[in-house]
Amino acid sequence: MRLSQSLIPTLKETPAEAQIASHRLMLRAGLVRQMASGIYAWLPAGLRVLNKISAIVREEQAAAGAQELLMPTIQSADLWRESGRYEAYGKEMLRITDRHERDLLYGPTNEEMITSIMRESVKSYRELPQNLYHIQWKFRDEVRPRFGVLRGREFLMKDGYGFDLDYAGALLTYKKMMLAYMRTFQRIGITAIPMRADTGQIGGDLSHEFHILAPTGESGVFYDATFEAGDPAAAADVETFYEQMTTIYAATDEKHDLAAWEKIPDERRREGRGIEVGQIFYFGKKYSESMNFTVTGHDGTKIFPEMGSYGIGVSRLAGAIIEARHDEAGIIWPDAIAPFRAAILNLRQGDAATDKICNELHEKLGADCLYDDREERAGAKFAEADLMGHPWQIIAGPRGAANGQVELKRRATGERLELSVADALAKVMS
Amino acid sequence: MRLSQSLIPTLKETPAEAQIASHRLMLRAGLVRQMASGIYAWLPAGLRVLNKISAIVREEQAAAGAQELLMPTIQSADLWRESGRYEAYGKEMLRITDRHERDLLYGPTNEEMITSIMRESVKSYRELPQNLYHIQWKFRDEVRPRFGVLRGREFLMKDGYGFDLDYAGALLTYKKMMLAYMRTFQRIGITAIPMRADTGQIGGDLSHEFHILAPTGESGVFYDATFEAGDPAAAADVETFYEQMTTIYAATDEKHDLAAWEKIPDERRREGRGIEVGQIFYFGKKYSESMNFTVTGHDGTKIFPEMGSYGIGVSRLAGAIIEARHDEAGIIWPDAIAPFRAAILNLRQGDAATDKICNELHEKLGADCLYDDREERAGAKFAEADLMGHPWQIIAGPRGAANGQVELKRRATGERLELSVADALAKVMS
């Protein structure tokens, strides 16, 4: 993509309304713009991040056997009256009346709707287990939206729902989803730690939150350093993995257990702050019973399926990752979800040899690179590339171009190398 | 995908509420379920259709130089007060009040919002032209939602917005978008005809609608048979293409011009019915002036950009295509957007040779095929595959399997061939 022809409106000044780093940087790097309190438009570079996160989520959900569907954003109030949550949900639910005076709402979550779909479609034990998810915009009418996309009102969530015939099946689904989540976060390029959590509005008695470590996190977190080492998702099987994840100590301040904490050797105790980016729940028959969803078992008896729900905050993740990965100069995107894998900085637009090299690089790297072809001074191009946080910068100027050389900069380390065009390409694409 | 493990709830009976073929078939084939009046959930097979249509739209938009972004579904009423459309829009606009008593609305279209984004971001003539689009859910509170997704309330639309410095630029953008749309419909596998149209709510004085021919279409259409022949999008350049598209006769009954019609030779006159699946508008400075969006020109003067908007009804297309392509037995999907390119029908689940062949086919064809591995009689499997409209059916039974043979059926023609597994695969994948 040519920057001169793109809507990537970077800002030199820090917007006054932004209190935290990710909010400031998302505005400054031209990723999002606020359209109303807690409601954002995702500009082209920001949308690329959302899409890359979503693609990884989808691949790991498919690998875990989950099916994707797409439920609407607007729901009927009657569905929520069935489960008893319509009155209980309170002011965070955006309630709407249509032209025929029917009560609607903008869905904050979809337990009721997916249960109604399954109730209508699935009749026999032979059709279970099933695990269904969608990636859809949700709305929660936060009393005080803040921190940009971290606590917005309209937000993109992956929410999944498991239906099993019995407790053992539902627990296995829960474990598989925890593993899928850890693999998802690992592929995105961040460390997330699962922590025992309260179940709140959703219900049930087993839940874990996934926290990214970042100094601005909303929760205090306490964990065993074992989480920082190695590859938690590499465990041989799901049972071993779950056993490890739930026996190594990790807790938010709400659930912190001093007695257990003090049993961990001093040098392995870690305290910090975390941003919640996902949560999983097992809640059994809460919705199948209240909404009367049964399937016929082997012997003809009626079975209320056992359910769980599984959420990842897709738009929130974009902000949380920036909280965890930035410096004074800007964002430091992980390779897997950067809007562009590489930027090409042309330091002398109009110089034939430099233009030629840049055009060649742009063509070879394709849509996943951003070509800064503007007539701007070098300093501005460096600063914007650092701000936007491209994992690689390929810097081309007339001196190097005369010898077919470019400079390759790695954003995360600051490392710079003089390389031939072919070697630079090979490194960026590897 | 294994049908035994999928949420594809086909129906044997025709749902009473469905009046037209596409609505009946989308329910019967397990593509969608109604969640509230005019509001649908897209089940896994239906979502695959939406995604395939969207992917083609995206590729053709990118090829035409348009950038993708993603605007929110909820908008501030203040934005619409600026253009004067908040009061004018009437009851089709879903109006919402949030917990702080602020007026919001569920966006039915995005002219105001994209203009406000551009106004904030683009200051100089050097940054234009730009063409931006998103694919996002919209809401129009139809007084009487009907015909399934053809006239729903929550619907998926691609809407794009062009910003140019002058009339000539805006007209060129309009022509390029018409060409991109014709290429899009052609790749989807349907014939769409552009017809001069009124501009309605959007404003302006140049507009074309794109109609798919189908007997249940809402509009009467009159056109020259030249549209049925050849490849309209193959014109050498955009100017020639536009010249052709706008001189060959085509009109809806509202715009029908008897004098022009009678000049067409009898044998080339075609009358039918059409379903509108897209519309494009040139409306000049209507929004840039009312919302005060200017850029600075070469000479320092202020320029109000010239705008157009460009819509494709993505969810509506799914229904419209079925109206145009079905028979007594079910849907006849075009190859490019079928939920699954092929179905594998195992006529003797449990027979070792048949299972082996089916598993091999399933593995080789990957995620874009549906394996009917249920323990059902052959007749039920045939009927469901015809209903779902997979372009290819690969039918495996014990007799053929013993010789490594399968039967390959082409849904559109009914043609059947006995082939080796390798030859069947080659044909399906070609």
Side-chain angles (χ1 to χ4, degrees), chain A residues 5-7 35 39 42 44 67-70 72-74 98-100 106 113 130 141 143 153-154, chain B residues 5-7 35 39 42 44 67-70 72-74 98-100 106 113 130 141 143 153-154:
Chain A
Q5 293 163 21
S6 306
L7 184 69
M35 296 291 105
I39 300 178
W42 292 74
Q67 303 173 69
E68 188 174 4
L69 82 169
L70 188 53
T73 60
I74 300 296
D98 75 8
R99 68 191 293 168
H100 298 301
Y106 199 121
M113 189 176 275
Q130 289 205 47
D141 200 0
V143 64
R153 294 198 291 171
E154 185 168 332
Chain B
Q5 292 164 21
S6 306
L7 185 68
M35 296 290 104
I39 301 177
W42 292 74
Q67 303 173 67
E68 188 175 6
L69 82 169
L70 187 53
T73 59
I74 300 296
D98 75 6
R99 67 190 295 169
H100 298 299
Y106 199 120
M113 189 176 275
Q130 290 205 46
D141 200 1
V143 63
R153 296 198 291 171
E154 185 169 332

Side-chain angles (χ1 to χ4, degrees), chain A residues 181-182 185 190-194 210-213 227 232 277:
Chain A
Y181 275 34
M182 291 300 279
F185 297 128
I190 46 169
T191 302
I193 300 179
F210 297 80
H211 283 260
I212 291 183
L213 301 171
F227 274 112
V277 292

Side-chain angles (χ1 to χ4, degrees), chain A residues 122-191:
Chain A
V122 168
K123 307 292 180 189
S124 157
Y125 73 93
R126 282 190 308 266
E127 296 168 78
L128 294 188
Q130 289 205 47
N131 191 345
L132 294 139
Y133 76 99
H134 71 163
I135 299 181
Q136 178 62 295
W137 293 90
K138 309 283 187 299
F139 204 96
R140 289 186 192 159
D141 200 0
E142 296 275 351
V143 64
R144 199 160 72 85
R146 57 192 185 281
F147 307 146
V149 302
L150 283 181
R151 191 164 289 278
R153 294 198 291 171
E154 185 168 332
F155 60 97
L156 187 61
M157 188 160 95
K158 172 262 163 184
D159 43 322
Y161 304 90
F163 295 85
D164 283 274
L165 286 170
D166 53 29
Y167 173 73
L171 190 63
L172 179 60
T173 298
Y174 187 91
K175 293 172 182 174
K176 282 184 185 168
M177 281 294 110
M178 184 184 279
L179 178 56
Y181 275 34
M182 291 300 279
R183 288 193 169 137
T184 301
F185 297 128
Q186 189 176 47
R187 281 186 58 193
I188 285 172
I190 46 169
T191 302

Side-chain angles (χ1 to χ4, degrees), chain B residues 172-239:
Chain B
L172 179 60
T173 299
Y174 187 91
K175 293 171 181 175
K176 282 184 186 168
M177 281 293 110
M178 185 185 279
L179 178 56
Y181 275 34
M182 291 301 279
R183 287 194 170 136
T184 301
F185 297 129
Q186 189 177 46
R187 281 186 58 192
I188 286 172
I190 47 169
T191 302
I193 300 179
M195 305 196 184
R196 199 57 198 261
D198 290 323
T199 55
Q201 273 285 358
I202 302 282
D205 50 25
L206 175 60
S207 178
H208 283 85
E209 291 173 351
F210 297 80
H211 283 260
I212 292 183
L213 301 171
T216 50
E218 294 173 297
S219 318
V221 295
F222 301 84
Y223 63 97
D224 184 323
T226 311
F227 274 113
E228 289 168 351
D231 171 3
D237 65 280
V238 67
E239 297 293 349

Side-chain angles (χ1 to χ4, degrees), chain A residues 118-119 122-124 288 291-296 301-305:
Chain A
M118 292 294 281
R119 178 175 65 184
V122 168
K123 307 292 180 189
S124 157
S288 55
M291 297 182 66
N292 196 28
F293 167 37
T294 60
V295 296
T296 308
T301 56
K302 295 284 177 196
I303 299 168
F304 290 103

